[in-house]
Amino acid sequence: MSDEQQTQDLDEGEIAADYVEGLLDIVDLDGDIEIEESGSRTTLKIGEAGDDSLAALSAPEVVSALQDLTRLAVQSQTGEFSRVVLDVAGSQDARTNELRDLVAQAIARIEGGADRAPLPAMSSYERKLVHDLVAEAGYHSESEGEGRDRHAVVVPA
């Protein structure tokens, strides 16, 4: 990774952390924020898994909305598209487990004779996780739909 890319990623993480910290202050919630870099993705871990004080913010639709707002805040300051991912009180692991269950159900439908097993609409990050989980199980998946309706479909290998 180039020095310029590392600086941009670091700035993105710091900008995102400052923004989220401001939001937490507004709603009078505490939560330690840790910035993690992985490849081209910056993840903000907010609080610890199971932190009940952040339970209201860890629901998937709330995390998604906060993530969108945070990405917009970063983009407005950097002028660059942001792929910041938020993990609120272990929400990322919880969602990965939910996606793992959805993939298992879809594979069961394929093994039961279905030609294809569409999954609900989800973010590009979640679709990537689904594609990885499906491939690990020896099946194939593709994305269909546009915008917020975009979803993964599991098909036989």
Side-chain angles (χ1 to χ4, degrees):
M1 185 181 311
S2 72
D3 288 341
E4 181 179 316
Q5 181 66 37
Q6 283 181 322
T7 301
Q8 180 183 354
D9 289 344
L10 182 61
D11 290 345
E12 178 180 70
E14 289 176 3
I15 293 166
D18 287 346
Y19 179 77
V20 170
E21 188 174 323
L23 289 177
L24 291 175
D25 286 345
I26 289 169
V27 295
D28 198 27
L29 290 175
D30 292 325
D32 292 333
I33 300 173
E34 183 179 321
I35 302 170
E36 292 184 358
E37 303 292 332
S38 174
S40 65
R41 201 155 311 260
T42 300
T43 300
L44 292 187
K45 292 194 173 258
I46 304 157
E48 297 292 323
D51 184 343
D52 290 338
S53 70
L54 297 172
L57 300 180
S58 64
E61 60 277 358
V62 176
V63 173
S64 179
L66 290 172
Q67 186 169 274
D68 287 346
L69 289 171
T70 303
R71 287 175 173 177
L72 287 171
V74 171
Q75 185 175 341
S76 73
Q77 288 194 30
T78 64
E80 301 288 327
F81 179 75
S82 173
R83 291 187 175 270
V84 169
V85 174
L86 298 187
D87 182 356
V88 180
S91 62
Q92 198 173 40
D93 287 340
R95 183 62 176 154
T96 299
N97 289 333
E98 290 173 7
L99 294 174
R100 189 172 280 116
D101 290 344
L102 284 173
V103 167
Q105 293 168 15
I107 289 172
R109 291 194 309 262
I110 296 296
E111 290 174 347
D115 292 348
R116 52 198 318 273
L119 299 176
M122 58 188 69
S123 71
S124 60
Y125 177 74
E126 290 176 337
R127 285 193 313 276
K128 163 119 176 50
L129 291 176
V130 164
H131 294 312
D132 291 346
L133 292 168
V134 169
E136 286 173 16
Y139 287 84
H140 179 72
S141 60
E142 49 199 41
S143 291
E144 293 182 355
E146 298 295 325
R148 295 218 180 266
D149 293 329
R150 196 144 174 87
H151 60 280
V153 178
V154 179
V155 295

